[in-house]
Amino acid sequence: DGACRTSVMLTNGKEEVIKSCVSLPELNAQVFCHSSNNVTKIECCFTDFCNNITLRLSTGKNNIKIWGPVQLTAIIAVPVCLLSLALMVTVFTCHGRQRANTKAKKHSLEEVLPDHTFISSGKSLKDLICDLTTSGSGSGLPLLVQRTIARTIVLQEIVGKGRFGEVWRGKWRGEDVAVKIFSTRDERSWFREAEIYQTVMLRNENILGFIAADNKVDNGTWTQLWLVSDYHEHGSLFDYLNRYTVTLDGVIKLSLSIASGLAHLHMEIVGTQGKPAIAHRDFKSKNILVKSNGTCAIADLGLAVKHDLETNTVDIPLNHRVGTKRYMAPEILDDTINTSIFESFKRADIYSLGLVYWEIARRCSIEGSIHEEYQLPYYDLVPSDPSVEDMRKTVCEQKLRPNIPNQWQSYETLRVMGKVMCECWYANSAARLTALRIKKTVSQLSTQEDMKI
Ligand SMILES: Nc1ncnc2c1ncn2[C@@H]1O[C@H](COP(=O)(O)OP(=O)(O)O)[C@@H](O)[C@H]1O
Ligand SMILES: *[C@@H]1O[C@H](CO)[C@@H](O)[C@H](O)[C@H]1NC(C)=O
Ligand SMILES: *[C@@H]1O[C@H](CO)[C@@H](O)[C@H](O)[C@H]1NC(C)=O
Ligand SMILES: *[C@@H]1O[C@H](CO)[C@@H](O)[C@H](O)[C@H]1NC(C)=O
Ligand SMILES: [Mg+2]
């Protein structure tokens, strides 16, 4: 009936159509039924996150009309078994519920997974993440801990909207956390982003700190897909630059931290505790967050690709032209990018980085004098919400780039930043700087006096 939905899931690299009928609301259980093209068999499993019971049912096309004693026994035994299973599920759930306050039934599985069972009450998120990095076991908290944290978060307010659903500020034991909520049809995006964030050795102060991923059945018909991360009250760099101007020192702080984050993302670390090279593929000011001390963290890794060193390929099938059109590198716009070389994706990120630097430098306010209002790159050359064709004409055919104001030449920091931008924007992607090179150049700026030439 109406409680059923069909979704496509990726299991062992194969696509599988899954019909899931969410029922038994008081059991908080889900029934997944898989049926292949061979429709004589249906496989169902009950799952309430505690029990996973798989049942294989015959649809009865081959049943014999006259039943012998063996068949009769089976006919009686199967329903009896089913009933016992259902009873077990009920008993288990009710047992967990005894502790819970029945009227405050907000989070469906809080009763079954009381938080103090797994996380001692003195622990903060920092402690948990710290335990994790010192234990050296991968890059994510154990799944049960992730789930327990996610299910004891209280959502407070919406702080952002993007491609996939909403981002909320939430509270966990008094600490602010960010919760990105994906809609059920974006299950793949949710899974992919969680997977990327949990890449071994990815954790870095300039990459958004991942805390937990959880899929919970919310109100009986809806699966909520959550991605929990550190919360940064300034929001995105885009929001920040719209709201504030920055000092020369601020420009360096923002730019250096972004280059550091991107250099770490791009870097390949070999060895057992190694890290694959990762390219972001949707690098822009809306996908970078500003921390309270004026440094940045790179976020929104949903479109990122990892480099598989052994096969020299990327880890997922490439969909054609992803990312934000305004920030797309010329070789993506005119489709000349050689996707069989992983380096190509990194170089496209560098082009976008140059645009982000331009957005930052424009907002530089010196001695209360020059600064320009916030603008997106190419604001003066393409319409709002430009098409690929608009961008291609401007960036590839006319070979235009954002304007570098003359005043920038008067200040060492802005002069160098302007030069870096131009070296990020070369049409020939191989000529562009690397993130590591940019990090070094910008870090040298930070040790110098900002003086007027
Ligand atoms: N951890 C966070 N702290 C504060 N704001 C955030 C956080 N994560 C995302 N946001 C806000 O939500 C917006 C969308 O987040 P993002 O991860 O880019 O989602 P999408 O994949 O939908 O684009 C960001 O531009 C930012 O304004
Ligand atoms: C369950 O939640 C979803 C999303 O929050 C909403 O669209 C749907 O109407 C809700 N269903 C019920 C039965 O409350
Ligand atoms: C910003 O804060 C982080 C910790 O959140 C710290 O490691 C870093 O050194 C700080 N950076 C600056 C420039 O203050
Ligand atoms: C892409 O690069 C590979 C490896 O260098 C090369 O063999 C291939 O010919 C290139 N493809 C195109 C279309 O340039
Ligand atoms: Mg985004």
Side-chain angles (χ1 to χ4, degrees):
D1 57 24
C4 292
R5 68 187 165 82
T6 308
S7 59
V8 182
M9 242 192 166
L10 206 62
T11 330
N12 303 328
K14 269 190 298 191
E15 265 188 21
E16 206 176 341
V17 178
I18 294 178
K19 181 113 188 269
S20 65
C21 306
V22 185
S23 57
L24 313 169
E26 56 295 303
L27 297 186
N28 295 311
Q30 245 183 324
V31 186
F32 290 103
C33 296
H34 317 228
S35 65
S36 57
N37 292 337
N38 169 11
V39 286
T40 57
K41 247 189 188 169
I42 296 178
E43 251 183 53
C44 291
C45 67
F46 287 87
T47 160
D48 64 350
F49 300 111
C50 301
N51 299 308
N52 280 307
I53 303 154
T54 305
L55 305 165
R56 290 188 175 76
L57 307 173
S58 171
T59 48
K61 274 188 186 155
N62 316 326
N63 280 3
I64 305 157
K65 290 256 162 74
I66 303 153
W67 293 318
V70 180
Q71 284 89 348
L72 272 173
T73 315
I75 288 161
I76 296 161
V78 168
V80 167
C81 285
L82 277 172
L83 279 172
S84 324
L85 286 175
L87 202 68
M88 273 168 61
V89 172
T90 318
V91 167
F92 195 93
T93 316
C94 291
H95 181 71
R97 185 170 295 167
Q98 280 171 358
R99 318 149 156 269
N101 186 346
T102 39
K103 65 186 173 196
K105 191 175 161 292
K106 240 183 178 174
H107 298 286
S108 58
L109 285 170
E110 242 168 281
E111 311 89 295
V112 190
L113 299 167
D115 63 339
H116 51 83
T117 314
F118 299 103
I119 305 170
S120 57
S121 55
K123 294 248 174 186
S124 69
L125 285 170
K126 221 180 224 159
D127 296 337
L128 288 167
I129 300 289
C130 197
D131 291 353
L132 163 79
T133 41
T134 48
S135 72
S137 57
S139 190
L141 291 165
L143 273 176
L144 202 50
V145 176
Q146 289 190 26
R147 179 163 283 177
T148 307
I149 292 172
R151 288 176 191 190
T152 45
I153 288 171
V154 183
L155 296 180
Q156 309 282 317
E157 57 178 335
I158 285 202
V159 294
K161 267 195 164 118
R163 229 170 334 120
F164 307 112
E166 299 157 348
V167 179
W168 288 69
R169 179 174 66 84
K171 282 253 184 234
W172 188 77
R173 291 185 180 174
E175 289 179 71
D176 279 328
V177 290
V179 183
K180 184 164 167 178
I181 303 180
F182 294 71
S183 72
T184 317
R185 87 191 105 82
D186 291 324
E187 185 158 17
R188 275 161 188 264
S189 313
W190 166 79
F191 187 86
R192 176 65 181 168
E193 194 164 354
E195 185 187 20
I196 293 276
Y197 273 116
Q198 292 178 90
T199 304
V200 179
M201 295 292 286
L202 180 65
R203 205 162 271 286
N204 179 276
E205 68 173 299
N206 300 120
I207 293 174
L208 179 60
F210 171 83
I211 299 168
D214 184 33
N215 53 345
K216 75 171 172 190
V217 180
D218 188 30
N219 56 11
T221 58
W222 201 256
T223 306
Q224 280 214 345
L225 305 169
W226 280 23
L227 216 68
V228 184
S229 63
D230 293 341
Y231 174 74
H232 300 295
E233 60 179 334
H234 281 312
S236 69
L237 178 64
F238 173 82
D239 299 329
Y240 186 84
L241 293 175
N242 267 286
R243 220 171 292 140
Y244 310 108
T245 60
V246 283
T247 60
L248 280 168
D249 223 35
V251 170
I252 295 169
K253 227 166 160 181
L254 293 169
S255 307
L256 178 58
S257 60
I258 295 170
S260 300
L262 191 61
H264 182 71
L265 200 63
H266 282 182
M267 181 166 42
E268 185 155 270
I269 304 171
V270 281
T272 44
Q273 277 294 299
K275 164 193 167 300
I278 298 173
H280 190 288
R281 297 206 300 163
D282 194 16
F283 204 78
K284 58 174 176 175
S285 53
K286 282 182 185 164
N287 287 340
I288 297 169
L289 302 170
V290 180
K291 302 207 249 186
S292 50
N293 69 359
T295 60
C296 291
I298 297 172
D300 199 356
L301 298 181
L303 288 174
V305 283
K306 293 190 205 182
H307 184 210
D308 184 333
L309 190 58
E310 269 166 38
T311 60
N312 191 27
T313 53
V314 298
D315 67 328
I316 47 157
L318 292 167
N319 21 11
H320 191 65
R321 224 186 251 134
V322 297
T324 306
K325 298 178 188 89
R326 187 181 291 274
Y327 288 83
M328 276 180 187
E331 65 273 18
I332 298 177
L333 291 168
D334 67 11
D335 216 2
T336 57
I337 185 169
N338 189 340
T339 53
S340 49
I341 309 173
F342 190 77
E343 206 65 27
S344 308
F345 299 106
K346 294 199 213 172
R347 291 167 182 168
D349 280 350
I350 295 292
Y351 167 86
S352 314
L353 172 69
L355 298 179
V356 170
Y357 276 3
W358 178 85
E359 293 172 69
I360 297 171
R362 266 177 65 89
R363 295 295 279 153
C364 182
S365 158
I366 301 155
E367 294 139 20
S369 67
I370 51 148
H371 66 262
E372 290 166 273
E373 83 267 278
Y374 174 79
Q375 289 292 357
L376 283 166
Y378 299 109
Y379 73 103
D380 48 350
L381 300 170
V382 298
S384 59
D385 195 17
S387 65
V388 168
E389 194 49 28
D390 293 330
M391 293 308 303
R392 196 190 57 77
K393 276 196 188 124
T394 309
V395 176
C396 305
E397 275 177 21
Q398 299 176 275
K399 299 192 187 305
L400 295 173
R401 296 291 185 271
N403 176 46
I404 307 276
N406 280 333
Q407 304 95 290
W408 289 8
Q409 302 306 318
S410 317
Y411 295 90
E412 177 63 7
T413 297
L414 294 181
R415 190 187 62 76
V416 173
M417 290 305 293
K419 185 160 173 283
V420 168
M421 288 171 212
C422 293
E423 291 178 42
C424 291
W425 292 336
Y426 290 132
N428 171 12
S429 66
R432 291 175 201 151
L433 300 172
T434 62
L436 203 57
R437 183 69 253 163
I438 295 167
K439 180 182 167 182
K440 281 177 186 155
T441 304
V442 179
S443 70
Q444 277 156 9
L445 279 177
S446 60
T447 59
Q448 286 174 359
E449 281 279 291
D450 280 315
M451 21 176 234
K452 188 157 182 170
I453 302 164

PDB file of all heavy atoms in Angstrom, residues 205 253 291 293 295, ligand 3:
ATOM      1  N   GLU A 205      43.134  20.191   9.784  1.00  0.00           N
ATOM      2  CA  GLU A 205      42.439  21.360  10.355  1.00  0.00           C
ATOM      3  C   GLU A 205      41.799  22.247   9.300  1.00  0.00           C
ATOM      4  O   GLU A 205      40.952  23.076   9.618  1.00  0.00           O
ATOM      5  CB  GLU A 205      43.355  22.156  11.288  1.00  0.00           C
ATOM      6  CG  GLU A 205      44.499  22.855  10.604  1.00  0.00           C
ATOM      7  CD  GLU A 205      45.262  23.767  11.569  1.00  0.00           C
ATOM      8  OE1 GLU A 205      44.639  24.700  12.086  1.00  0.00           O
ATOM      9  OE2 GLU A 205      46.457  23.526  11.784  1.00  0.00           O
ATOM     10  N   LYS A 253      45.511  34.900   5.867  1.00  0.00           N
ATOM     11  CA  LYS A 253      45.020  33.831   6.740  1.00  0.00           C
ATOM     12  C   LYS A 253      44.019  32.937   6.003  1.00  0.00           C
ATOM     13  O   LYS A 253      44.123  31.704   6.027  1.00  0.00           O
ATOM     14  CB  LYS A 253      44.335  34.461   7.946  1.00  0.00           C
ATOM     15  CG  LYS A 253      44.726  33.877   9.281  1.00  0.00           C
ATOM     16  CD  LYS A 253      44.228  34.841  10.337  1.00  0.00           C
ATOM     17  CE  LYS A 253      44.094  34.229  11.694  1.00  0.00           C
ATOM     18  NZ  LYS A 253      43.578  35.231  12.653  1.00  0.00           N
ATOM     19  N   LYS A 291      36.168  29.459   9.897  1.00  0.00           N
ATOM     20  CA  LYS A 291      36.162  29.144  11.328  1.00  0.00           C
ATOM     21  C   LYS A 291      36.224  30.434  12.140  1.00  0.00           C
ATOM     22  O   LYS A 291      36.493  31.509  11.597  1.00  0.00           O
ATOM     23  CB  LYS A 291      37.378  28.281  11.661  1.00  0.00           C
ATOM     24  CG  LYS A 291      37.430  26.986  10.857  1.00  0.00           C
ATOM     25  CD  LYS A 291      38.169  25.928  11.618  1.00  0.00           C
ATOM     26  CE  LYS A 291      39.487  25.572  10.991  1.00  0.00           C
ATOM     27  NZ  LYS A 291      40.128  24.436  11.668  1.00  0.00           N
ATOM     28  N   ASN A 293      38.396  31.667  14.078  1.00  0.00           N
ATOM     29  CA  ASN A 293      39.640  32.439  14.109  1.00  0.00           C
ATOM     30  C   ASN A 293      40.098  32.914  12.722  1.00  0.00           C
ATOM     31  O   ASN A 293      41.255  33.283  12.544  1.00  0.00           O
ATOM     32  CB  ASN A 293      40.748  31.672  14.845  1.00  0.00           C
ATOM     33  CG  ASN A 293      41.230  30.447  14.096  1.00  0.00           C
ATOM     34  OD1 ASN A 293      40.737  30.137  13.023  1.00  0.00           O
ATOM     35  ND2 ASN A 293      42.213  29.773  14.668  1.00  0.00           N
ATOM     36  N   THR A 295      40.385  31.288   9.872  1.00  0.00           N
ATOM     37  CA  THR A 295      40.952  30.321   8.919  1.00  0.00           C
ATOM     38  C   THR A 295      39.799  29.518   8.315  1.00  0.00           C
ATOM     39  O   THR A 295      38.665  29.619   8.772  1.00  0.00           O
ATOM     40  CB  THR A 295      41.966  29.370   9.605  1.00  0.00           C
ATOM     41  OG1 THR A 295      41.296  28.654  10.637  1.00  0.00           O
ATOM     42  CG2 THR A 295      43.134  30.143  10.192  1.00  0.00           C
TER      43      THR A 295
HETATM   44  C1  LIG B   3      42.898  28.580  14.335  1.00  0.00           C
HETATM   45  O1  LIG B   3      42.358  27.621  15.211  1.00  0.00           O
HETATM   46  C2  LIG B   3      42.905  26.323  15.087  1.00  0.00           C
HETATM   47  C3  LIG B   3      42.162  25.436  16.035  1.00  0.00           C
HETATM   48  O2  LIG B   3      40.794  25.528  15.809  1.00  0.00           O
HETATM   49  C4  LIG B   3      44.399  26.361  15.388  1.00  0.00           C
HETATM   50  O3  LIG B   3      44.952  25.075  15.238  1.00  0.00           O
HETATM   51  C5  LIG B   3      45.059  27.321  14.415  1.00  0.00           C
HETATM   52  O4  LIG B   3      46.441  27.416  14.720  1.00  0.00           O
HETATM   53  C6  LIG B   3      44.414  28.688  14.502  1.00  0.00           C
HETATM   54  N1  LIG B   3      45.006  29.519  13.470  1.00  0.00           N
HETATM   55  C7  LIG B   3      45.289  30.802  13.627  1.00  0.00           C
HETATM   56  C8  LIG B   3      45.948  31.480  12.473  1.00  0.00           C
HETATM   57  O5  LIG B   3      45.015  31.421  14.647  1.00  0.00           O
END
